[in-house]
Amino acid sequence: MEEVETEIRNSLAFESFEGITDPLQVMAELAERALATERALAARVNDLAQDDRLRYKAAGAGTEQLRAEVALWERWHKQAAHLADRLAGHNFEERRTRVTEQQGAIFVEALRAIFARLTLTPEQQALLGTVVPEELRRVGAIRGELA
């Protein structure tokens, strides 16, 4: 155990750390990882349950034991639920929506300023109401495919 702690301390000594600027985002990322781990363990436990291998006899003791995967799944399940509950308590999704709306408003203002500085014909100005939303939807769809 001491060797592991020393190894971790030594490896962390060479890491460069950035400050946490958005603690709720960090908590959301941790919740995502906890949920992914919980799901992977749940799949493993389900596989064991289908083969009736959730329990085993302890050598020499003659008692039945649950596999370690079950205990791990329970821990990660509780952790994911705890983090999700904490995020809900901080109105995380509402805050993220507000930030997204603010970013959208800034983007719209930038587009307006750009278009105001361009010398567009009346025909080109009329197309802006159609072309800009179409292109934004197209880019959004492409980003959705990459995500």
Side-chain angles (χ1 to χ4, degrees):
M1 184 69 148
E2 192 174 310
E3 290 175 14
V4 172
E5 289 176 0
T6 302
E7 184 179 328
I8 290 172
R9 265 196 299 279
N10 290 340
S11 68
L12 289 176
F14 296 102
E15 291 290 324
S16 127
F17 294 102
E18 298 176 17
I20 295 174
T21 57
D22 187 350
L24 287 177
Q25 183 60 39
V26 171
M27 191 183 303
E29 290 168 8
L30 289 171
E32 288 172 12
R33 286 189 205 123
L35 188 57
T37 303
E38 186 271 345
R39 286 178 178 154
L41 287 166
R44 174 81 173 139
V45 168
N46 284 337
D47 287 345
L48 290 170
Q50 287 179 355
D51 296 339
D52 200 28
R53 292 182 294 138
L54 281 178
R55 298 179 182 280
Y56 65 95
K57 298 273 187 192
T63 60
E64 206 172 57
Q65 302 288 320
L66 274 177
R67 294 204 171 272
E69 290 92 332
V70 176
L72 285 171
W73 171 78
E74 288 174 342
R75 284 187 212 148
W76 282 99
H77 182 78
K78 287 178 185 176
Q79 187 64 26
H82 172 73
L83 289 168
D85 184 54
R86 295 286 309 267
L87 286 170
H90 288 289
N91 298 318
F92 179 73
E93 286 303 319
E94 181 181 316
R95 288 180 182 195
R96 185 169 19 197
T97 300
R98 266 199 316 265
V99 167
T100 301
E101 288 171 351
Q102 290 169 349
Q103 289 171 336
I106 291 168
F107 182 70
V108 167
E109 284 304 312
L111 282 178
R112 284 189 180 137
I114 291 167
F115 294 144
R117 293 180 63 187
L118 297 174
T119 308
L120 301 176
T121 66
E123 294 82 21
Q124 290 170 325
Q125 289 177 0
L127 283 173
L128 288 178
T130 305
V131 173
V132 171
E134 285 175 357
E135 289 303 310
L136 290 175
R137 279 192 293 277
R138 185 184 65 78
V139 169
I142 291 170
R143 289 201 65 191
E145 290 172 10
L146 297 177

